[in-house]
Amino acid sequence: MTNSGNAKAAALRTDPQPAPRQRGATGGGTDRGQLLTTKIGLRIPTGMTFEDWEQAGRQLSGILDSSSWWLGDWLVYGKDHYTDRYQRGIRAVGLRYQTLRNYAWVSRRFEFNRRRAALSFQHHAELTSLPVDEQEAWLDRAEQMKWSTKQLRTGLRASREAEAEAEAGAGLEKQTGAMRRLALPQGRIPWWHEAAERSGTDLEQWVLTTLDRAAERVLGERGHQEIDAATPPPRELSAGA
């Protein structure tokens, strides 16, 4: 990792074998001007500038995110080429199988040329259950809006809730329309109003009473009681419908 200008650069390099701990050592930073990654920690140079420290964090974060893709691709390759031995390779890695399986699932769902470098592995993971065209649309949106993973998840949830409400509204409208066509034939409302007035009651009550009497004549008193006990209170009948 290098910085422009005269600022002291802090390169990131990996030491495969951490130096043995010496008695009296503090385990602090190093003055070599480099960040040193080891299996047991990160050695930070003395006097590192804020800019170098910030850039190092970005680089480390990128490595962590990339490693999810790397492990996913690694497992997909092993599954495809070593079906009889790849379980042994998984055990050698030392990670939980479910963790690797999740990485592989995302890697399979997003071919190499569809992965967005500007977005994290987790961004892609949020979209695995969607069809490809919807994945692309959400990836475009997240990339253009510079969404965090949380913002993408919130957008997906809002979209699903809106779709569910729209479907429920469409179903209710269809049912209501069918009821109106059946229960309120054109030209009958004035006639029913007059009959209700002569009976000394309002239209809604007159309609319910008349229908109940007609049903009772057909089904008998017992049938009327059974239906009355099993049926929720009727919805209001709109005279203006």
Side-chain angles (χ1 to χ4, degrees):
M1 179 178 61
T2 59
N3 284 352
S4 59
N6 296 325
K8 182 179 179 181
L12 181 65
R13 69 184 182 89
T14 301
D15 187 354
Q17 296 294 334
R21 185 175 182 182
Q22 298 178 359
R23 185 173 299 177
T26 61
T30 175
D31 57 1
R32 298 178 183 178
Q34 292 181 324
L35 280 170
L36 183 63
T37 61
T38 74
K39 291 183 66 174
I40 60 173
L42 183 70
R43 296 179 64 85
I44 302 176
T46 303
M48 172 180 267
T49 66
F50 172 80
E51 290 76 13
D52 279 341
W53 172 82
E54 183 180 46
Q55 182 62 25
R58 292 179 181 176
Q59 190 173 356
L60 290 168
S61 177
I63 292 172
L64 180 63
D65 190 65
S66 297
S67 67
S68 299
W69 288 118
W70 299 339
L71 286 168
D73 291 337
W74 172 81
L75 187 60
V76 168
Y77 185 90
K79 176 79 171 177
D80 292 343
H81 292 80
Y82 310 114
T83 54
D84 58 335
R85 289 177 289 172
Y86 90 105
Q87 288 283 357
R88 187 178 71 186
I90 291 174
R91 290 192 296 270
V93 171
L95 292 175
R96 292 178 55 195
Y97 175 69
Q98 186 59 47
T99 300
L100 291 174
R101 185 175 168 184
N102 292 340
Y103 292 161
W105 171 243
V106 179
S107 294
R108 281 197 185 277
R109 291 288 289 156
F110 290 92
E111 297 176 358
F112 201 86
N113 60 354
R114 292 207 305 118
R115 300 173 188 177
R116 309 293 179 93
L119 300 176
S120 71
F121 179 88
Q122 192 57 40
H123 280 93
H124 295 75
E126 294 289 337
L127 306 173
T128 52
S129 62
L130 299 179
V132 171
D133 57 342
E134 292 186 33
Q135 289 176 349
E136 292 298 314
W138 281 104
L139 288 174
D140 287 341
R141 195 172 305 168
E143 194 169 14
Q144 293 165 7
M145 302 296 291
K146 301 185 184 303
W147 279 349
S148 65
T149 303
K150 182 178 180 180
Q151 288 172 316
L152 174 59
R153 190 180 302 122
T154 300
L156 285 167
R157 187 185 306 116
S159 176
R160 288 168 184 150
E161 291 174 354
E163 289 177 1
E165 290 177 2
E167 290 177 0
L172 180 60
E173 183 178 355
K174 183 176 180 181
Q175 291 178 6
T176 303
M179 290 176 62
R180 286 176 177 173
R181 287 192 298 272
L182 176 65
L184 301 177
Q186 187 176 2
R188 299 293 180 87
I189 296 295
W191 190 32
W192 290 348
H193 265 297
E194 183 178 352
E197 289 175 359
R198 291 188 182 186
S199 300
T201 185
D202 58 25
L203 175 63
E204 289 82 356
Q205 186 59 46
W206 180 85
V207 169
L208 290 175
T209 301
T210 302
L211 292 175
D212 281 345
R213 286 174 181 170
E216 187 176 327
R217 284 197 299 270
V218 175
L219 302 175
E221 181 65 26
R222 179 180 178 182
H224 176 263
Q225 292 174 351
E226 290 176 353
I227 292 175
D228 188 54
T231 305
R235 300 177 61 176
E236 291 186 359
L237 181 64
S238 175

